[in-house]
Amino acid sequence: MQMTGNTILITGGTSGIGRGLAKAFHKLDNQVIIAGRRQSRLDEITATNPGMIGFQLDVQDPQAIAAFTARVREKIPELNVLINNAGISRPETLPGGSDLSIARNIIETNIIGVLHMTAALLPALVTKPQATIITTTSGLAFVPRNNFPTYCASKAFLHSWLQSLRVQLRGSSVEVLELAPPYVQTELSGPHQLSDPHAMPLAAYISEVMQLLADATPPDGEILVERVRGERFAERNGDYARRFAIFNGL
Ligand SMILES: NC(=O)c1ccc[n+]([C@@H]2O[C@H](COP(=O)([O-])OP(=O)(O)OC[C@H]3O[C@@H](n4cnc5c(N)ncnc54)[C@H](OP(=O)(O)O)[C@@H]3O)[C@@H](O)[C@H]2O)c1
């Protein structure tokens, strides 16, 4: 993708990977708009990155998405990059009885939120000479962990859905990219993850991603840092059973 001069909306821009990408794109002279639920974080990040814009948005709320995207289309018509990054991860023990609230929250945020945001902004993006949709999936889309069943499945859903979207948009100005992170030091599963030595440091992850984006169009539209390639290509490399067993303590 072109790395400068874009107008970029990042959902889940208030922490972790979204915040890291926001800062990196901001430094490269892009107009960056971050969205998330926590107003205090939006305020803090926009205050420390002059020119960056913050909007409160809950991607689980379809009416909020409709109002928000209408506002973006009207006030920021130059928007040409959407980064669907907001996501949640929660452990689940199956069968969990009749309470599907955890699974429902994950599906509404990680899947329906992405579908809504994309549907609402795609008509505007296709009118731009150059546009990009980046959606954050996960290495766990390719080798699941049993204690995060709906989370892993939500990312596998996105991986499949993005392939279809990419083909449907072939020949348009919209490039469809999948960002599949490995385990990274963020707050995704709680504060302990920020300093988990098994997780990739956030700054190193963002720096490798920005380099991959700048280098060339990623093969098959997938942005894969070195550390996630083993999971991504486990099936192809005949390494799936071993990795699945390690991930799941078998
Ligand atoms: N870190 C990893 O190991 C890892 C690995 C693979 C994939 N990922 C993916 O990377 C993405 C970013 O996660 P992260 O690791 O950076 O974790 P994070 O620090 O917890 O960030 C998650 C972001 O999503 C936002 N968010 C969550 N629910 C939302 C909602 N309903 N509406 C709007 N925004 C919402 C949060 O903002 P608010 O709380 O302010 O709303 C936050 O900015 C996720 O899609 C995650 O699945 C992460």
Side-chain angles (χ1 to χ4, degrees), residues 12-18 35-38 57-60 85-88 109-110 136-139 151 155 181-188 193:
T14 49
S15 60
I17 292 169
R37 293 164 301 179
R38 288 169 290 180
L57 174 69
D58 181 349
V59 298
Q60 266 191 269
N85 169 75
I88 54 170
T109 305
N110 296 8
T136 309
T137 64
S138 172
Y151 175 76
K155 298 301 189 176
Y183 185 42
V184 177
Q185 287 178 343
T186 69
E187 299 164 60
L188 185 65
Q193 190 175 328

